[in-house]
Amino acid sequence: MWVSKIELVCFKSYQRQEFEFPEPTNGRNVILIGGMNGYGKTSILEALYLCLYGKDAIAHLARAGLKADDSRGYPTFLEKAFNGEALRDGRDTMLVRVVINKTKTKAVEITRKWYFRSNGAWTDEEATFRDVIRGVPEIPKSDGKNGFHLSDILDEIFVPAHIAPFFFFDGEEVKKLADQGRVEQVKQGLEGLLGVVLLRTLADRLRNFERSKREAVANVDEERLASLFRHLTENERLSADLRKRGADAKETRDRLEGEFQSLLERVTSAGGGGGDTATYKDLVEEREQVRNRFRESQRKLEEILAGRLPFHLVSKEVMTAFQNQLEAECRYFQWDAEKRALQPRQLEFESAYAEQTSPEIEPALSAEQFAAIKARMNAAWARLFYPPPDDCADEVVYSYLAGSERDKTLSFLQNLSLGHQEIQEILNEQSQQSARIDDLGRRISRLEGIDRDGTLATLTRELKAVQDKITQLDDEWRGDERKLIALESQISSQRAEYERERKKLDDSSPARSIMQKSERVRRVLDDVVPALFPLKVKELAAAMTQVYKQLAHKDQVGRIEIKDDGSTVILGKSGKSITFDRSAGENQIFATALIAALAKVSGVKAPLVVDTPLGRLDSRHRHNILQFWTSEKTRQVILLSQDEEIDAEFKKRISLSISKTYLLDHLDVGDGIGRTTAHEDAYFMEARS
């Protein structure tokens, strides 16, 4: 397996550059790319990471010794990587393509494009993968579409992201990581090798999943739900009682009205009327009619005071916002109802489409093409409903209102006008009606005065008593009616809230079960991670010992032991612990040995790409590391070196292992922008003095 091509377009200082690498054969496994500091060597390593792993690369760049600003993130990294000349010329695309050969005839091509606005802000990206058979590329697959994920393929055929830093790294910066603490370095290596990074990522995702579910479930207070149910039940009982009282009151009033009419007839028969004046019955009936009109005027006034008038005390801005929100919610629920009504038709359409056999399609669609068509159909169907129309409510604020109640509320708001004249007319009517009632009362009293034997007075008292009962009953009925209206409104709100909370509780029941399963899995992961380390510690220690002996120029090392906590002990040939000064060279040798051992134990036969491979090592250590890079003849090694590391002299020492060279040239094109060009089959001509 080897990287046969890296193509850079508008990436950092590269406008357009292709690097082509041959297969490691005949012992020639080393690719040498030379360039002065700042000429674009590290950019090649960064491009490899970004093309293969996308945004996941950011988390691994630091472990590979490359600079990544975790606080500012992936977009900032890309915007800094976009070529300055391209931005100045108005171009909008950056591209990296990597071709990896598995054999001479089989390869895979991975391409990642990033798109930018005219101001250089990153907007989007796409990654594609395709097999290349005998130089002929097949149909590309897009990452994240139709169930295809590039990361899964890389796990199978190349290097998983979590162990990439064992194969692609900056030798100088990795040495600095070793400076910071060998225990941490070993632990990180073991975690990457064992997939602990993935397990911890899974544990974090499970933890976040549980948190989100718990927040949703926490909003459902079962005690509060029970309290809502009790209050709703009590209010419904009170409402039923008021309705029954109203029905009883109507029945009683009908009976009293009958008694009133009977007494009125008896009063008239007893002489309560006659002469030139109206009869007693007519006066009493008229007074009752006027009283009814007075009560109706009172009801209208109460309706104004309790209904429309309070809304006129609210600011116009608040009322407008309230009405606009209700209208937007009505449009949202209308859209939602249409969507729900049409949703079943989608499956019918898909089934009908799948059954069609005419006209025939030649050549027949492949499974992937049919899946692509189906995905487009689903996307097109979804676009009929998503996003909702712009005039729909983004959020349902008045969720306690049913659809009909929203319409009633809007109708009420549209008929909310109220003027001084309307109130004044009602008050004038009441004043006139009150005066008429008093006048009729005086006339009735005069007629009652003609009673000589007291019969009329007795009947009149009985009539008045019945009339007072009717008046009292009417007053109580109006009071109960006001209570009932308020209670029905409260019941409607409580019922909506109760149903909403009950639905949450019902929905949360499976969520709670899933959450408990997630917690159990996470506990297993917590137990598994510590138990994994001993599985690879001995194998890693043996591989590290072998590599360390190849690299170090001190021959008294017998073996390296790694403990379960990641701490390392270097033992002499006698088996006793020995200690070396932690010089820059020793630390880089240690770090290189660790990375090489991790790569070996992983079992992945991937290329090694090393930036600044020799750093500031002395000549003996340089020789040993170069010997190590060239020792495994079938593994491709790409070394990104400046002139003081692998100079012309060192190049000659490993010339039989070199299959390809490039020399990077850099040109300043103004405005602080540089342009890098790679010259094929060229390298530093001589060592600097």
Side-chain angles (χ1 to χ4, degrees), residues 543-580:
M544 192 174 175
T545 299
Q546 182 183 359
V547 177
Y548 191 90
K549 286 182 176 181
Q550 287 181 253
L551 299 180
H553 61 260
K554 298 176 181 178
D555 60 359
Q556 64 265 49
V557 175
R559 70 179 188 276
I560 295 175
E561 283 189 354
I562 302 175
K563 298 181 179 179
D564 292 347
D565 63 357
S567 61
T568 57
V569 179
I570 301 177
L571 302 176
K573 294 181 178 179
S574 64
K576 293 183 179 180
S577 174
I578 57 177
T579 304
F580 297 127

Side-chain angles (χ1 to χ4, degrees), residues 174-176 178-179 182 544 548-549 551-557 560 570 578-594 614 616-618 620-621 624-625:
V174 166
K175 182 267 297 181
K176 293 180 182 178
D179 291 344
R182 293 182 175 180
M544 192 174 175
Y548 191 90
K549 286 182 176 181
L551 299 180
H553 61 260
K554 298 176 181 178
D555 60 359
Q556 64 265 49
V557 175
I560 295 175
I570 301 177
I578 57 177
T579 304
F580 297 127
D581 293 333
R582 293 182 61 181
S583 64
E586 290 292 345
N587 271 340
Q588 185 160 349
I589 292 298
F590 180 88
T592 304
L594 173 61
L614 304 182
R616 297 181 179 84
L617 296 178
D618 58 42
R620 181 71 180 275
H621 279 127
N624 291 345
I625 286 184

Side-chain angles (χ1 to χ4, degrees), residues 509-526:
S509 296
R512 291 180 181 183
S513 175
I514 293 173
M515 195 164 59
Q516 290 171 355
K517 292 178 182 177
S518 174
E519 289 175 347
R520 289 197 296 271
V521 171
R522 192 161 46 80
R523 284 196 295 270
V524 170
L525 292 177
D526 291 340

Side-chain angles (χ1 to χ4, degrees), residues 303-373:
E303 182 185 272
I304 290 173
L305 294 176
R308 288 183 287 166
L309 183 61
F311 287 92
H312 284 269
L313 302 178
V314 180
S315 69
K316 184 178 179 180
E317 292 78 8
V318 172
M319 286 299 300
T320 301
F322 177 48
Q323 187 167 352
N324 290 342
Q325 177 65 26
L326 279 178
E327 291 173 349
E329 288 185 11
C330 286
R331 289 191 291 270
Y332 171 81
F333 282 106
Q334 181 180 0
W335 164 82
D336 187 62
E338 293 174 356
K339 180 193 69 172
R340 290 175 182 274
L342 288 175
Q343 197 69 34
R345 304 293 294 176
Q346 179 187 5
L347 297 177
E348 295 178 17
F349 174 75
E350 289 181 1
S351 177
Y353 178 81
E355 292 172 359
Q356 297 303 309
T357 58
S358 178
E360 293 186 2
I361 299 176
E362 290 293 342
L365 296 176
S366 67
E368 293 177 349
Q369 290 171 325
F370 187 80
I373 290 175

Side-chain angles (χ1 to χ4, degrees), residues 448-509:
E448 290 171 349
I450 66 174
D451 186 19
R452 291 176 175 79
D453 60 359
T455 301
L456 189 59
T458 301
L459 291 173
T460 301
R461 284 193 298 272
E462 292 178 6
L463 184 66
K464 185 176 184 305
V466 172
Q467 193 172 29
D468 289 344
K469 288 180 180 179
I470 292 175
T471 301
Q472 181 181 359
L473 200 61
D474 287 343
D475 291 342
E476 290 176 354
W477 179 80
R478 281 197 302 275
D480 286 348
E481 189 180 47
R482 287 193 295 271
K483 290 179 183 178
L484 186 60
I485 291 172
L487 199 58
E488 288 294 336
S489 176
Q490 188 176 0
I491 287 172
S492 176
S493 175
Q494 286 178 333
R495 185 178 293 115
E497 185 177 7
Y498 172 75
E499 291 297 332
R500 187 169 59 250
E501 294 299 313
R502 185 181 60 79
K503 185 176 184 303
K504 284 184 182 179
L505 183 61
D506 292 343
D507 293 343
S508 73
S509 296

Side-chain angles (χ1 to χ4, degrees), residues 148-169:
F148 175 78
H149 296 284
L150 179 59
S151 59
D152 295 340
I153 295 294
L154 290 174
D155 288 352
E156 292 177 13
I157 68 169
F158 196 55
V159 181
H162 63 278
I163 63 171
F166 306 157
F167 297 89
F168 321 130
F169 57 91

Side-chain angles (χ1 to χ4, degrees), residues 20 32 145 249 276 310 335 375 409 442 500 529 540 609 621 664:
E20 294 188 350
L32 204 53
K145 295 182 179 179
D276 296 330
W335 164 82
T409 305
R442 287 191 294 270
R500 187 169 59 250
V529 168
L540 179 62
V609 183
H621 279 127
L664 304 181

